[in-house]
C-alpha cells in the first residue's frame, strides 16, 4: 500500500522530549512497561532507584520532594492544560506548554527549590510559558501582543462564569492575554482573586480590572453574529496518505504500517511514554492489535489532518481522542497519540472528513 511522499515537520518539541533525545544519544535507552511516569527521562541517574542508607541524605530528600511533586503535578495536569490551551488557543500547543511547565518545575525542585504551595507555583510557570509562546508567535506574525493588565471595577457574576466556561478557544483568543488569563483562572477554573494575584504576581486591583474587561469583551462576542471560520486548505496528498494509514489500521494490517516507519521514527504516547527508533516504535502497533474497542476515521483537529478515534459500536459519538501522524519522504517520522490524555478533548475543535 503506497502512502505517497511529502515532508512534514514534527510537532514543537518540549523540554521533556529534548531530555529524552539527549538520553538516547548518550546510549541509555530505556524501555517502558506502560506504568505512569510524568518524568521518565529527566531524572538524574543518582535519583533513579531506591534510596539506601549509604546514599547522601540530600539525595534522599531530593527524591522525596520529586515524588511529592510528581503526585501533585499528576493531579493538576488536566487543569493546567485547560488553562494553557485557552491561553494559546490550541489543545496541541497547550499540551506542549504543560510539558514545558512540568519540566521546569521538575528541574527547579531537583535543584533545591520547593514551593510552599505547588498549584499556584505551577500555574505561574505555565502562565509565563504561555506568554512566552504568544510573544514568539506574535513576533513570527509581525505584530505585538498586549500584556498589560487593565484596572477597572470587578463584578462577580455566575452568568459571566457560565459564559466563560462555554466560550470556544477561538472566542477566548480574541481577548488580550491579560484579560484572557484572568477570565480563565476565575470563571473557568474557579480560582479566587487572591489566588490569581499570587499566580500572576500582581495586585488584586489589577486582577479585578482585567477580569471585568475580559467579561465585558466576552459579552460583546456572545451578542455578535457568529461567522463560520474559513475551511482550511488541505493538501490532497496529506489526506490520501492519512486515509491509507487509517484503512490499514482498521484492517489490522500492522505489518504494512511497521514497514512504513522511518528508522528514526519518534513516538509520543502523551502523558505516558516516549520512544524512538523503528524497533521500539513497532511495538506500539502490537498494543493496538490486542484491543478491539477502537475505530479510526480521518478528520481535522485545529485545521490539521488527524486521526479521530471512536468506539466501534458507537461511531456516531464524539471521538474519544485523536492521533497526529508526521511524514518525511513517504515514511512515518512521528506519531503523537493522545490515548492517555483525554483531557485535551475539552474545547477541541475537530471534524470528521469523508
Amino acid at each position: 500500500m503506497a502512502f505517497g511522499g511529502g515532508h512534514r515537520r514534527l510537532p514543537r518539541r518540549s523540554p521533556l522530549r529534548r531530555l529524552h533525545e539527549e538520553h538516547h544519544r548518550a546510549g541509555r535507552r530505556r524501555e517502558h512497561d506502560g506504568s505512569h511516569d510524568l518524568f521518565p527521562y529527566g531524572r538524574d541517574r543518582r535519583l533513579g532507584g531506591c534510596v539506601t542508607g549509604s546514599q547522601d541524605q540530600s539525595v534522599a530528600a531530593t527524591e522525596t520532594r520529586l515524588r511529592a511533586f510528581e503526585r501533585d503535578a499528576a493531579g493538576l495536569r488536566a487543569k493546567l492544560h485547560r488553562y494553557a490551551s485557552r491561553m494559546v488557543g490550541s489543545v496541541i500547543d497547550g499540551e506542549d506548554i504543560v510539558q514545558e511547565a512540568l519540566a521546569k518545575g521538575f528541574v527547579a525542585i531537583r535543584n533545591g527549590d520547593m514551593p510552599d504551595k505547588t498549584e499556584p507555583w505551577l500555574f505561574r510557570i505555565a502562565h509565563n510559558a504561555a506568554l512566552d509562546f504568544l510573544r514568539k508567535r506574535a513576533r513570527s506574525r509581525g505584530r505585538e501582543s498586549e500584556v498589560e493588565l487593565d484596572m477597572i471595577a470587578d463584578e462577580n457574576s455566575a452568568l459571566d462564569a457560565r459564559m466563560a466556561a462555554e466560550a470556544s478557544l477561538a472566542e477566548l483568543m480574541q481577548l488580550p492575554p491579560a484579560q484572557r488569563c484572568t477570565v480563565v483562572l476565575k470563571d473557568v477554573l474557579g480560582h479566587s482573586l487572591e489566588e490569581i494575584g499570587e499566580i500572576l504576581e500582581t495586585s488584586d486591583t489589577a486582577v479585578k480590572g482585567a477580569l471585568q474587561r475580559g467579561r465585558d469583551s466576552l459579552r460583546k462576542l456572545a451578542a455578535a453574529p457568529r461567522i463560520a471560520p474559513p475551511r482550511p486548505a488541505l493538501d490532497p496528498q496529506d489526506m490520501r496518505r492519512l486515509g491509507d494509514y487509517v484503512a490499514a489500521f482498521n484492517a489490522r494490517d500492522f505489518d504494512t504500517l511497521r514497514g512504513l516507519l522511518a528508522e528514526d521514527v519518534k513516538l509520543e504516547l502523551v502523558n505516558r511514554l516516549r520512544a524512538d527508533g523503528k524497533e521500539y516504535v513497532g511495538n506500539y502497533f502490537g498494543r493496538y492489535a490486542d484491543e478491539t474497542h477502537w475505530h479510526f476515521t480521518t478528520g481535522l483537529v485545529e485545521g490539521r489532518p488527524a486521526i479521530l478515534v471512536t468506539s466501534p459500536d458507537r461511531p456516531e459519538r464524539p471521538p474519544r481522542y485523536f492521533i497526529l501522524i508526521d511524514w518525511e519522504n513517504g515514511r512515518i517520522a512521528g506519531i503523537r497519540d493522545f490515548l492517555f490524555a483525554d483531557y485535551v478533548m475539552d474545547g477541541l475543535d475537530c471534524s470528521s472528513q469523508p
Side-chain angles (χ1 to χ4, degrees):
M1 182 182 298
F3 280 64
H7 175 82
R8 292 181 63 85
R9 298 175 62 185
L10 285 171
R12 175 175 172 264
R13 296 190 309 162
S14 70
L16 286 179
R17 180 175 293 187
R18 290 194 292 271
L19 285 170
H20 157 63
E21 292 171 350
E22 292 166 4
H23 185 85
H24 278 235
R25 282 196 295 270
R28 294 175 290 174
R29 186 184 301 273
R30 292 178 58 184
E31 293 185 63
H32 295 272
D33 60 4
S35 61
H36 180 78
D37 188 353
L38 280 173
F39 305 100
Y41 301 106
R43 290 293 184 89
D44 188 303
R45 295 185 71 183
R46 295 173 301 166
L47 305 177
C50 297
V51 176
T52 67
S54 62
Q55 289 179 298
D56 187 89
Q57 289 185 354
S58 64
V59 174
T62 300
E63 175 70 13
T64 299
R65 290 197 300 269
L66 289 172
R67 290 298 179 191
F69 175 65
E70 287 186 1
R71 289 192 299 269
D72 292 343
L76 290 171
R77 186 160 187 151
K79 287 180 68 175
L80 286 167
H81 181 269
R82 202 174 185 198
Y83 176 70
S85 63
R86 282 158 176 76
M87 279 298 295
V88 300
S90 165
V91 300
I92 299 171
D93 293 333
E95 175 60 28
D96 288 335
I97 289 166
V98 169
Q99 291 184 19
E100 181 177 342
L102 295 178
K104 287 181 176 178
F106 174 85
V107 171
I109 290 177
R110 188 176 60 183
N111 290 339
D113 292 345
M114 190 61 198
D116 293 332
K117 293 185 287 186
T118 301
E119 183 168 349
W121 182 69
L122 262 182
F123 266 93
R124 189 180 311 125
I125 295 174
H127 172 74
N128 290 332
L131 291 183
D132 287 343
F133 176 88
L134 291 171
R135 291 187 188 104
K136 291 176 184 176
R137 187 166 67 186
R139 285 196 295 269
S140 69
R141 295 176 179 176
R143 64 174 183 266
E144 295 297 325
S145 294
E146 176 187 344
V147 295
E148 290 78 19
L149 291 170
D150 304 292
M151 299 174 64
I152 49 181
D154 169 57
E155 297 175 4
N156 195 351
S157 166
L159 178 62
D160 289 323
R162 186 170 68 250
M163 186 178 299
E166 294 174 354
S168 68
L169 297 186
E171 289 172 331
L172 287 169
M173 284 304 295
Q174 295 184 58
L175 303 182
Q179 297 174 22
R180 187 160 67 246
C181 68
T182 53
V183 167
V184 173
L185 287 170
K186 181 69 171 69
D187 293 340
V188 178
L189 298 177
H191 286 273
S192 68
L193 296 178
E194 181 181 0
E195 290 169 337
I196 297 172
E198 185 177 0
I199 291 169
L200 303 181
E201 297 182 304
T202 191
S203 68
D204 286 354
T205 303
V207 171
K208 290 178 181 179
L211 177 63
Q212 183 58 38
R213 185 160 184 174
R215 286 171 169 175
D216 289 343
S217 298
L218 278 183
R219 291 191 198 101
K220 293 176 182 177
L221 289 171
R226 293 183 179 269
I227 301 175
R231 292 178 61 87
L234 300 176
D235 185 336
Q237 187 179 56
D238 281 352
M239 297 308 297
R240 182 173 61 253
R241 190 164 47 199
L242 190 66
D244 288 342
Y245 182 98
V246 165
F249 220 108
N250 286 333
R252 296 179 174 270
D253 187 3
F254 298 118
D255 287 339
T256 292
L257 296 177
R258 289 189 185 97
L260 286 167
L261 294 175
E263 290 297 328
D264 58 349
V265 61
K266 291 177 172 56
L267 167 69
E268 181 182 4
L269 202 53
V270 178
N271 197 26
R272 183 58 61 96
L273 62 85
R274 289 178 178 80
D276 60 9
K278 187 174 183 178
E279 177 184 357
Y280 287 87
V281 177
N283 296 328
Y284 161 79
F285 298 111
R287 296 294 181 91
Y288 271 100
D290 294 337
E291 298 292 336
T292 59
H293 300 295
W294 52 262
H295 179 76
F296 284 11
T297 59
T298 57
L300 297 178
V301 169
E302 297 180 349
R304 64 175 291 179
I307 297 167
L308 306 181
V309 185
T310 61
S311 298
D313 53 341
R314 302 290 296 274
E316 75 283 356
R317 299 191 68 177
R320 295 160 50 200
Y321 61 98
F322 65 93
I323 302 170
L324 303 175
I325 305 294
D326 292 280
W327 301 84
E328 186 172 343
N329 299 323
R331 296 285 179 179
I332 299 171
I335 302 172
R336 198 175 195 194
D337 188 327
F338 288 80
L339 169 63
F340 295 105
D342 57 356
Y343 52 81
V344 304
M345 303 304 289
D346 179 21
L348 180 70
D349 175 19
C350 68
S351 60
S352 60
Q353 295 290 302

